[in-house]
Amino acid sequence: MNFQWLQDYGPMLWRGVAVTAQLLLLSGGLGFALAVAVGFARLSRQPFLAWLSLSFTNLIRGTPLLVQIYVLYYGLGSLFAGFPALRDSLLWPYLREGFWYVALALALSVAGYVGEVVRGGLAAVPKGELEAARALGMSRLTAARRIWLPRALLILLPSLAGETVLLLKSTALASTVAVMDVLGAANLVRAQTLRTYEPLLTVALIYFALAWLIERVFLRLEKRLPVRTAF
C-alpha cells in the first residue's frame, strides 16, 4: 500500500468531501420537507391527493435512482439548453451544473422513501392524543404541527437515522454525471496515479466515518429528547 499520493491529492479529496456534505444536507433538508407533505397526503381524506401521493411514492420507489438522475440531468438539462432565454439568464450557471440535478433527484428519492416512513409514523400516533388536542380547542393544522408530527418524529428517529445513512451512500452516484464529490475525486486520483485500491480504500473510510457521525448525532438527539417511544 502506498499513500504518498495524498500529499498532492489530499486537498482535492477534502473538496470532494465538502461537495458530498453539501449534497447530503441540501437534498436531505428539501427531501424531508417533501416527505412530510407526502406522509400527510398519504393519509388525506381527499381521494385525489391520496392517489397522487401514492403514485409518486410508487414511481420513486419503483425506478432506480441512477435512472432518475439521468432523466433529470440529460433530460431536463437538454431541454433547458434548448431555450436561449435560459442560457442567457442568471440561472444558467446553475442549470448547467450536474450538482443541482443530483440534489433534486436525491431530494425526490428521500421524499418517496421517507414519505412512506412518515406516513407509518403518523399512523402510529395514538388517536387519543389527537382527540385530546381537539378537545383543547386546537385546530387540525395546529394539532398536526404541535402534536401529531412531533410525536411521529419521536417514533421514527431510529428509522430516520438509517435513511440518512442510505442517503449519504446514494450521493456517490453524483460522480456518474461529472460531479466532483468524494468518489469522483477518488476516481480522478485513480486515473492520474494508476493507484487502484488506495483511493477507494480511503473513500470507504471517509464514508464510514461520515456514517458513524450521522448515527452518533441521531443517537445523541434521541437521548436528549424527553420521550422517545410511542405509548
Side-chain angles (χ1 to χ4, degrees):
M1 292 288 182
N2 184 352
F3 289 91
Q4 292 183 354
W5 53 270
L6 279 172
Q7 297 179 0
D8 297 323
Y9 294 96
M12 184 174 65
L13 277 178
W14 281 117
R15 289 194 295 270
V17 172
V19 172
T20 294
Q22 290 170 10
L23 276 175
L24 178 67
L25 294 175
L26 179 60
S27 60
L30 176 59
F32 178 74
L34 293 174
V36 171
V38 169
F40 277 108
R42 291 281 285 111
L43 298 176
S44 174
R45 297 176 182 176
Q46 301 294 329
F48 177 74
L49 192 58
W51 172 83
L52 187 63
S53 60
L54 177 61
S55 299
F56 170 77
T57 56
N58 286 339
L59 176 64
I60 294 299
R61 292 159 61 123
T63 54
L65 177 57
L66 183 59
V67 173
Q68 297 167 19
I69 292 175
Y70 282 172
V71 167
L72 290 177
Y73 180 68
Y74 294 110
L76 280 181
S78 300
L79 180 64
F80 291 153
F83 292 94
L86 277 178
R87 292 201 307 269
D88 296 333
S89 70
L90 295 176
L91 294 176
W92 184 242
Y94 302 97
L95 293 177
R96 69 183 182 184
E97 291 293 333
F99 176 91
W100 302 104
Y101 296 97
V102 174
L104 177 59
L106 291 174
L108 293 176
S109 178
V110 170
Y113 282 92
V114 179
E116 281 296 303
V117 175
V118 172
R119 180 198 63 79
L122 293 172
V125 174
K127 293 183 179 180
E129 296 186 20
L130 302 179
E131 293 172 356
R134 286 194 292 269
L136 291 173
M138 290 187 187
S139 66
R140 187 175 181 84
L141 179 60
T142 301
R145 179 174 57 86
R146 299 185 62 181
I147 305 296
W148 200 5
L149 181 59
R151 287 290 289 119
L153 294 182
L154 288 173
I155 297 170
L156 295 176
L157 269 180
S159 298
L160 293 178
E163 292 291 341
T164 305
V165 171
L166 289 176
L167 174 61
L168 168 67
K169 292 188 288 187
S170 297
T171 60
L173 294 176
S175 61
T176 62
V177 290
V179 176
M180 195 59 64
D181 67 331
V182 64
L183 181 58
N187 288 334
L188 184 59
V189 172
R190 292 171 61 201
Q192 294 185 356
T193 65
L194 302 181
R195 308 300 305 182
T196 302
Y197 299 107
E198 293 90 337
L200 292 179
L201 180 60
T202 302
V203 167
L205 292 175
I206 291 173
Y207 277 114
F208 177 81
L210 292 175
W212 177 85
L213 180 62
I214 290 170
E215 292 176 348
R216 294 299 301 176
V217 168
F218 274 90
L219 183 60
R220 187 175 182 84
L221 183 59
E222 286 184 67
K223 290 181 177 180
R224 290 176 64 89
L225 292 174
V227 181
R228 287 179 286 161
T229 58
F231 294 132

